[in-house]
Each structure stands twice: as C-alpha cells, then as structure tokens.
Amino acid sequence: MQSRFCCPRCGEALTPWVRRLELAEAVNLHDSHTWVLPSGWFVRRDSGLLPAPHLSERPANYPWVFAPMSKWWLGVHSDPRRTVGCCGLASYGPELPNLVCACGQEVGLGYRDCLGPYWYSLHESVVHEQEVDPDPPRGIAERLARLRERVAGPIARMGYDPGGRHASHQHDPPSWDATLRLAEVTLDCGGGVDEPALVIESQQLPAGAQLVVPLPWCQLVRLAALGEQPWAETESPLTWKHERRGGPRVCVSRRKRRVLLTAWGPGSASWAVTIAVRAWADAWARLAG
Ligand SMILES: [Zn+2]
Ligand SMILES: [Zn+2]
C-alpha cells in the first residue's frame, strides 16, 4: 500500500504518496542534523521503529512522522514565536503547531534545529488516504546485502580539499559558481558499517584525488538501498552528520540542474563542490546496483 495525507479543512495533499517504512536500519534516532527517516517514507509514532525516549515523547496527537518536506507541501507558520530556533526550525510543542497547509490550517509540527534528528509530524486530524502501491519497491534486501559487502572495504586514500568553502545553500546563489564543478562522478563506499564514508571520484578532480564524505550507515542505506532522492531543495537541504564519529555536517541541495554538496567541519575544515544533477543521480543508481 501507499499513503498520502491531506488537509482536514481544504482537502489538499500535504504529502506526496509515501510508503510505510519497515527497515529499522534506515531510521536515525540519534544524530543531529540528520533526517529521522528517508524522504518518501513515513512511520506511525507508536511504531517499534521509534523506540528512543525523545522521539516517543512526541505528542500522541501527532501520530504521523516524516522526513522534513519542502514548502511545496507544508508551509512554515508565519508566527516566529513558533518557529525560530538557534539555527533552524524549532518546535515549541503540540499547543503551538508550526506547520500549516496552504489554506492556513495548522496541521503539523516540524523540527530542524540543533539537537537530535530532523523530523516533521502531522496531527491526527489529517486525512489518511491509502491505495495499492502501483510500483512497490523490489530488491531492497538484495541491495542492502550488496551494500554491506561493499562498505566493508577499506578507504585507501585521504580526501582531497577542493575549496569552495563559502558556498551557501539558501542565501547566495552566485557562491555556487565559486565552487569546483563536477560534470561526472562515480561513487563508492567503504570504511565499515560503523564508520562509513562515501568516496567521490571525478575527471574534474586532480589525478589520484578523491572526495571522502563520512555519513551515518542509515544515510547510506536510504540513498543506496531505498533509493532516496540524493538531494533536497535549497530551503531545507538533505543533510546528515555522523555525530558519534565527529563527522562533518554534510548538506546537499538542488538548484536547477546542479546540486551543491557542502561538508562543514570537524573544526575549521570545510569544502564544497557542485555536481551536475543527472551525474549525481546516475552515480547513486550505479552504486545501488
Ligand atoms: Zn488546507
Ligand atoms: Zn541550532
């Protein structure tokens, strides 16, 4: 089955068609600056997939949990007292919903601030539509098994620093032009399940150089085994951080035909590149096999 969720007042869709997630390895309960779930999937709050206390304490009348969505689906409330955090969208509890339908109806809670994973949730009053999935995902277990084998390999070389550190997702489109542009890329992964990293090779990098991008295993599972879209929109980029391993905060957003990939930290280390959208999508499809 697939589901979508609609406004209880005007009936407009608040989400695209999404699938109920059953793969615990794709859930992120701990890492800050990382989505709780892959986009395109949802879970019920009382599902066994969300056992951590800070997630299960989420109010019972907001039972549907998602990855952050773009403003095309859900708008952010106009009252800053409900939304302003220290670096992103904050949530001040069930009495002060901060996500709204285009018609103005208050329908959800969203969180994209510092502590813990990023999530959106929808109120119990939203209309839950279901229909038979016309194209159910196949081969997830096989892709996961291949990915597990592949990630077990070592990462041989140090990562290259391509510069471009001042590039900005939201505020400064010209800053994208100051980054190294990759017209084609190939992806590999390694480092083991506990400390995985993505390895990006490209003809546009100096000979022998490669970009090394640490990521949590759940994120690799989403992108390679579940086929999550490997970017989001600039207002709320796809983002991840392997907190326990002190990895960089990585953000990927799309503008027209390019994606911007930024890696910030640890410490003052940071860099950015832009990649042709098609090349980035194809490279993920090849990695997923
Ligand atoms: Zn509405
Ligand atoms: Zn913050």
Side-chain angles (χ1 to χ4, degrees):
M1 299 296 284
Q2 60 176 3
S3 294
R4 74 173 177 180
F5 297 82
C6 300
C7 176
R9 184 162 88 181
C10 73
E12 275 299 312
L14 300 168
T15 73
W17 286 101
V18 289
R19 298 183 172 109
R20 188 185 293 265
L21 186 70
E22 284 160 12
L23 183 64
E25 278 173 281
V27 176
N28 167 45
L29 300 172
H30 304 291
D31 292 301
S32 299
H33 303 293
T34 306
W35 294 0
V36 65
L37 301 177
S39 60
W41 305 77
F42 74 96
V43 298
R44 265 194 71 102
R45 174 190 156 279
D46 54 7
S47 143
L49 292 187
L50 300 177
H54 62 286
L55 288 166
S56 55
E57 279 167 15
R58 195 166 307 136
N61 55 345
Y62 287 82
W64 309 109
V65 182
F66 307 84
M69 275 174 266
S70 75
K71 61 188 173 193
W72 204 85
W73 299 104
L74 283 162
V76 167
H77 202 284
S78 57
D79 178 0
R81 288 169 301 178
R82 299 180 181 214
T83 61
V84 174
C86 98
C87 59
L89 175 67
S91 166
Y92 294 97
E95 305 312 317
L96 295 169
N98 60 5
L99 298 175
V100 293
C101 175
C103 77
Q105 178 79 3
E106 296 173 352
V107 289
L109 295 172
Y111 181 84
R112 295 193 311 258
D113 208 354
C114 324
L115 293 174
Y118 290 2
W119 49 266
Y120 272 20
S121 65
L122 287 175
H123 190 259
E124 60 191 357
S125 64
V126 300
V127 179
H128 180 196
E129 293 184 350
Q130 294 187 82
E131 65 169 37
V132 173
D133 195 338
D135 184 22
R138 291 174 214 282
I140 290 174
E142 292 78 4
R143 282 199 297 278
L144 196 54
R146 282 198 299 274
L147 189 63
R148 213 182 275 286
E149 241 167 64
R150 196 157 183 170
V151 81
I155 293 173
R157 287 169 287 173
M158 286 292 292
Y160 175 72
D161 179 352
R165 57 185 302 150
H166 298 299
S168 161
H169 292 270
Q170 288 96 345
H171 304 301
D172 182 19
S175 71
W176 291 38
D177 293 331
T179 63
L180 182 65
R181 300 173 79 132
L182 307 182
E184 53 75 39
V185 289
T186 55
L187 295 180
D188 200 355
C189 61
V193 165
D194 289 335
E195 207 161 352
L198 197 61
V199 177
I200 303 176
E201 295 187 332
S202 171
Q203 303 258 321
Q204 284 78 49
L205 291 169
Q210 60 187 2
L211 303 174
V212 177
V213 185
L215 76 179
W217 170 243
C218 67
Q219 188 63 51
L220 195 55
V221 168
R222 297 170 187 182
L223 291 166
L226 294 182
E228 182 183 36
Q229 177 179 270
W231 65 78
E233 302 309 316
T234 53
E235 83 214 40
S236 170
L238 175 62
T239 176
W240 68 73
K241 182 173 160 72
H242 197 335
E243 277 213 306
R244 283 156 295 161
R245 299 286 179 176
R249 180 178 173 195
V250 176
C251 296
V252 191
S253 74
R254 181 193 66 94
R255 180 175 278 131
K256 297 181 180 163
R257 293 190 189 158
R258 277 197 285 170
V259 296
L260 172 65
L261 186 157
T262 56
W264 297 324
S268 59
S270 54
W271 53 264
V273 293
T274 49
I275 307 168
V277 166
R278 197 68 258 154
W280 181 240
D282 289 350
W284 276 105
R286 287 196 303 274
L287 180 64

